[in-house]
Amino acid sequence: MTIPEAKRAWSGQINTVTIGAGPEEGGTRSSVVTVGGATALPFYHFEGVLPHPPVVAMEVWDVQPEGWPDVVKAPFSSVMDDPAAWARVCVDEHGAQLIALRLQGCDPGGADKGPQEAVKAVRAVLEAVGVPLIVWGCGTVDKDNDVFPAVAEVLAGENCLLGTITEDNYKTLTALGTAYGHKIVAESPVDINIAKQVNILALDAGYPMENLVMYPSTGALGYGIEYVYSIMERSRIAALQGDKAMAMPILCDLGTQVWKAKEARASEEELPGWGAVEARGPMWEAATAYTYLLAGADMLIMRHPDAVGATQRAIARLMANGGGS
Amino acid sequence: MILIAERINAGFKDIAEALRERAKGPVQEWARRQTAQGADYLDLNIGAVSKEPSDMRWLVEVVQEAVSTPICVDSTRVPVLEAGLDVGDGRPFLINSTTADPGKLEQVVPLAAEHGAGLIGVAMDQRGSPQDVDRRVENAAQIFAVATDAGLAPEQIFLDPVLMPVRHMQEQGPNVLEAITQYIMLSDPPPHISVGLSNIRSGTSEKKLITSTFVAMAMARGLDAAICDVMDDVLLNVVATAELILNKEIYSDAYLRAFRMKRGSS
């Protein structure tokens, strides 16, 4: 009996998005990152091309982070009060392919820093490392809209990834992205219909959808990962079937979610029999990352160096020899 | 839904004139306008006024000059179809059409096979139009069998259950819908199912409403192609909505816009 041919041919392709710009493109980056371009499901090398492997960005804050458990603070304990030094450690010692600078210090409920302080942090990180930057707002809409004009301007020509736009707040950032040449993260609250809507709204605001990266929200392993997984999977299938409004590379922001999970942060005293948190925490983050890679993640924002290393090794294995090994 | 745009047809005065005077303008203008609306194919029909293969040849060349949209050559005359296919520049072609008449099948099916073109098979035969479900199924099955024997894949075959004017032949509506249900069971994957949509509205007062309502009902049965007026935005919106309800597209509040975007139209 012959085995029936089960390969699928897809008509669509994921958009190719490059973050960062070297001197020749008007920026200062010593490396740039390109994601997307796939014509097949994740790691289905036999069905199409997967020209760009997923990448890992490491997360840096503009203030001393609150709420991070010790296990994930430990690798950065001496540099967490200095975003530039922290970013350097991520790149030089832990192989971060991008730095995701979260402007958490601008949060009105926290340090409430102003635009100029944000610019200072951004500039310091930009000068400290050669990798491309993701700059993420504090999440308070009015404050982000207040801070981003100055941040986008100081980063002009660097081709950064700025986040995020949402269904209710997309006009400011799309205008800035157009004016200063930045890519943009389109966020939706674990809702595929809103994900598609945000992408279309960006286009309606005059921002090309080819410059968007989609962020469907991220749930940690054990905390809603299956909902996000199925949304990513469905988005990717729709994109490969030709739905241009879903053809963006997908970003997962792991750190914020994973390190809230008790499985990642509780000590062995609190959870007898669960093993040392020093190993368990990074493993939780890596397992979450691996799951999202299989769902179609193109870009992962992560925290723990051990998890980053494990994830990068997994990506290398999944991409090697056409995935056949 | 595969939309085959109907407007470049010498049954329309401007096209008949353009054809007669070899004036590219109106033809290319309709090619561009229908492409901008998201047409998947442009139907080219030299009409009852001409029997000349050279007219179809000219039409195909003129359209190919203006747009890259796939072409559907439409004629009851085999030499006319052949003339159009011969000047094809490598883009996908669709042949409109054959019937189940053995004499016709014998000539048109090899043409599709030879040119790698799709083929619309209208479920009529030498006795004329089918009046019931059985004849529609019998004729379509005959076309399907001959076409697949000649090496055409099911995806290349478009079966047409023969849509008739609701004003004069109301009893045929249910027959057409039932035939569609049976057509999709012919193979896995099923063949495409196509209709000449404008037939249903002829002589009626509510042309757009009747066309759109039929499309929604027929899509639920498996219709996935139509020769139609792609300039009719009501029709396009209904098709977009039906695709949504059939779970062929992901919902977004701007889904009508998404539908047009997907088709490269504005």
Side-chain angles (χ1 to χ4, degrees), chain B:
Chain B
M1 187 75 171
I2 299 168
L3 301 175
I4 306 164
E6 69 182 8
R7 188 55 178 74
I8 305 179
N9 184 323
F12 291 99
K13 227 170 123 192
D14 56 347
I15 301 295
E17 245 176 66
L19 201 56
R20 203 168 44 241
E21 293 161 15
R22 291 292 190 260
K24 294 178 180 180
V27 173
Q28 296 189 330
E29 174 66 15
W30 277 113
R32 289 192 196 97
R33 283 181 67 183
Q34 295 184 115
T35 298
Q37 283 286 100
D40 295 291
Y41 287 89
L42 299 174
D43 189 83
L44 308 185
N45 186 325
I46 59 172
V49 295
S50 166
K51 296 177 180 168
E52 281 305 318
S54 62
D55 279 353
M56 180 61 90
R57 193 174 304 128
W58 180 79
L59 214 47
V60 169
E61 285 172 344
V62 165
V63 167
Q64 288 186 153
E65 215 176 270
V67 295
S68 57
T69 316
I71 288 172
C72 175
V73 282
D74 181 355
S75 177
T76 53
R77 298 187 177 86
V78 177
V80 171
L81 295 172
E82 197 166 10
L85 291 164
D86 280 344
V87 292
D89 61 3
R91 73 184 68 196
F93 266 71
L94 191 53
I95 296 172
N96 184 10
S97 56
T98 183
T99 64
D101 178 343
K104 189 87 187 230
L105 276 171
E106 199 173 89
Q107 295 182 67
V108 182
V109 169
L111 211 55
E114 182 194 336
H115 287 87
L119 176 63
I120 297 178
V122 183
M124 300 195 296
D125 55 29
Q126 57 279 25
R127 294 165 290 185
S129 293
Q131 301 300 323
D132 55 21
V133 177
D134 287 350
R135 181 71 63 75
R136 284 184 166 87
V137 173
E138 192 185 310
N139 287 344
Q142 174 67 12
I143 295 167
F144 186 80
V146 172
T148 47
D149 280 352
L152 269 70
E155 302 92 79
Q156 268 176 285
I157 302 167
F158 292 63
L159 297 176
D160 181 336
V162 191
L163 196 51
M164 293 172 178
V166 67
R167 175 173 181 151
H168 304 293
M169 310 182 82
Q170 250 181 293
E171 75 286 358
Q172 294 301 329
N175 292 345
V176 167
L177 294 172
E178 180 53 30
I180 293 173
T181 298
Q182 301 208 22
Y183 286 4
I184 58 170
M185 293 188 288
L186 276 172
S187 68
D188 182 18
H192 294 293
I193 297 161
S194 177
V195 291
L197 199 49
S198 299
N199 291 344
I200 198 168
R201 68 185 192 187
S202 130
T204 62
S205 57
E206 296 288 351
K207 290 189 163 57
K208 290 191 175 183
L209 181 60
I210 288 170
T211 315
S212 299
T213 302
F214 173 79
V215 144
M217 294 172 73
M219 284 174 73
R221 298 289 192 111
L223 183 83
D224 70 344
I227 303 165
C228 60
D229 175 10
V230 297
M231 307 311 289
D232 177 355
D233 278 313
V234 176
L235 172 65
L236 295 192
N237 289 346
V238 168
V239 168
T241 308
E243 286 185 346
L244 210 61
I245 290 166
L246 291 168
N247 193 26
K248 291 179 188 294
E249 291 298 327
I250 293 171
Y251 177 85
S252 69
D253 286 347
Y255 75 91
L256 295 177
R257 175 114 167 73
F259 174 81
R260 285 167 175 78
M261 205 162 61
K262 188 169 182 177
R263 300 184 156 267
S265 58
S266 41

Side-chain angles (χ1 to χ4, degrees), chain A residues 278-299:
Chain A
E278 289 73 19
R280 183 180 2 108
M283 211 182 289
W284 209 260
E285 188 174 23
T288 303
Y290 196 87
T291 307
Y292 284 124
L293 287 174
L294 301 183
D298 295 284
M299 202 178 272

Side-chain angles (χ1 to χ4, degrees), chain A residues 111-183:
Chain A
D112 199 18
K113 294 184 179 190
Q116 284 322 307
E117 287 170 281
V119 163
K120 208 175 135 197
V122 166
R123 196 177 268 148
V125 171
L126 186 74
E127 285 165 8
V129 296
V131 298
L133 299 193
I134 302 170
V135 182
W136 204 284
C138 67
T140 301
V141 168
D142 291 344
K143 189 61 184 290
D144 282 344
N145 287 342
D146 193 28
V147 166
F148 264 121
V151 167
E153 186 181 3
V154 77
L155 290 169
E158 297 289 356
N159 190 24
C160 296
L161 179 61
L162 308 181
T164 62
I165 58 166
T166 61
E167 191 180 20
D168 303 318
N169 182 46
Y170 58 93
K171 289 184 178 157
T172 304
L173 206 53
T174 49
L176 293 169
T178 304
Y180 298 112
H182 298 302
K183 305 297 194 305

Side-chain angles (χ1 to χ4, degrees), chain A residues 30-47:
Chain A
S30 56
S31 64
V32 301
V33 157
T34 300
V35 291
T39 61
L41 288 171
F43 311 111
Y44 277 35
H45 299 273
F46 52 89
E47 278 190 351

